[in-house]
Amino acid sequence: MNYAAIKTTDVANGTGVRVSLFVSGCRRHCKDCFNSETWDFNFGEKFTQDTMDYIIEALSHDYIEGFSLLGGEPFEKENRETVLDILRTIKEKLPDKTIWCYSGFTFEELLADGAQSILELLDVLVDGAFVAEKKNLRLKFRGSENQRVIDVKKTLKSGKVTELE
């Protein structure tokens, strides 16, 4: 898997100060996507053990609340194995850090497509494709009104999509 960028002090993609990884590869090609250079699966750098070590080091600071995973599309089939490894490593080494993920797929689509092992490692999923016609700059942690900020733990436990309060 390739990645486009790592931000070590991100305050825009989840609560608190976060480390964010922008993966490469996305077939959705949403109109007015803010990150269209990441559509190419070959864009950026190869994700390696050194990359993982860098992320763990960046996450280890007390002022970092957690990790955010964006794209591109983390749930593209080509990215899933590496994404799963990344999330398992973070949960193992830094279990108190929260994990947010942004996906153009809906929660329901991801469950139906066999992504439960990844979903179970997330605290929050911001789901749904960006829709330019529904863009709203007043929304917190999402770009268009169709997107949801989902509390994944509560949703998996109850079986009903529960948005973050």
Side-chain angles (χ1 to χ4, degrees):
M1 179 185 86
N2 279 18
Y3 69 97
I6 298 171
K7 293 185 179 180
T8 57
T9 53
D10 187 354
V11 295
N13 295 302
T15 55
V17 181
R18 313 187 67 74
V19 173
S20 294
L21 173 68
F22 293 78
V23 303
S24 294
C26 183
R27 293 184 178 88
R28 301 190 75 86
H29 297 192
C30 299
K31 178 184 169 196
D32 295 337
C33 172
F34 83 102
N35 218 5
S36 59
E37 65 274 5
T38 64
W39 293 351
D40 181 351
F41 284 88
N42 296 311
F43 181 77
E45 305 290 325
K46 271 275 183 241
F47 193 91
T48 65
Q49 184 58 49
D50 286 343
T51 315
M52 187 74 247
D53 294 344
Y54 178 75
I55 289 171
I56 293 297
E57 172 61 29
L59 280 167
S60 67
H61 300 288
D62 289 342
Y63 63 88
I64 299 292
E65 185 171 320
F67 179 72
S68 293
L69 185 60
L70 306 96
E73 175 55 62
F75 285 94
E76 288 285 8
K77 296 280 192 206
E78 294 88 337
N79 293 337
R80 286 187 186 188
E81 184 178 336
T82 304
V83 163
L84 186 58
D85 288 342
I86 291 166
L87 300 182
R88 283 180 175 156
T89 300
I90 292 168
K91 282 294 184 189
E92 175 189 319
K93 294 184 183 286
L94 299 161
D96 295 332
K97 301 294 182 178
T98 60
I99 298 178
W100 284 50
C101 184
Y102 287 74
S103 177
F105 296 104
T106 65
F107 181 85
E108 295 84 358
E109 289 170 326
L110 293 170
L111 267 185
D113 195 35
Q116 182 153 346
S117 58
I118 295 174
L119 290 170
E120 289 171 349
L121 295 168
L122 303 178
D123 295 292
V124 176
L125 174 70
V126 180
D127 81 335
F130 173 74
V131 177
E133 295 76 23
K134 294 184 178 187
K135 181 178 180 177
N136 183 340
L137 297 177
R138 293 187 184 137
L139 298 171
K140 199 170 186 181
F141 304 124
R142 56 197 175 117
S144 59
E145 293 172 357
N146 61 296
Q147 295 172 312
R148 302 175 292 183
V149 182
I150 298 171
D151 182 323
V152 178
K153 303 292 186 220
K154 285 183 180 176
T155 298
L156 289 173
K157 187 175 181 179
S158 71
K160 181 178 179 241
V161 172
T162 305
E163 292 198 51
L164 199 63
E165 296 175 9

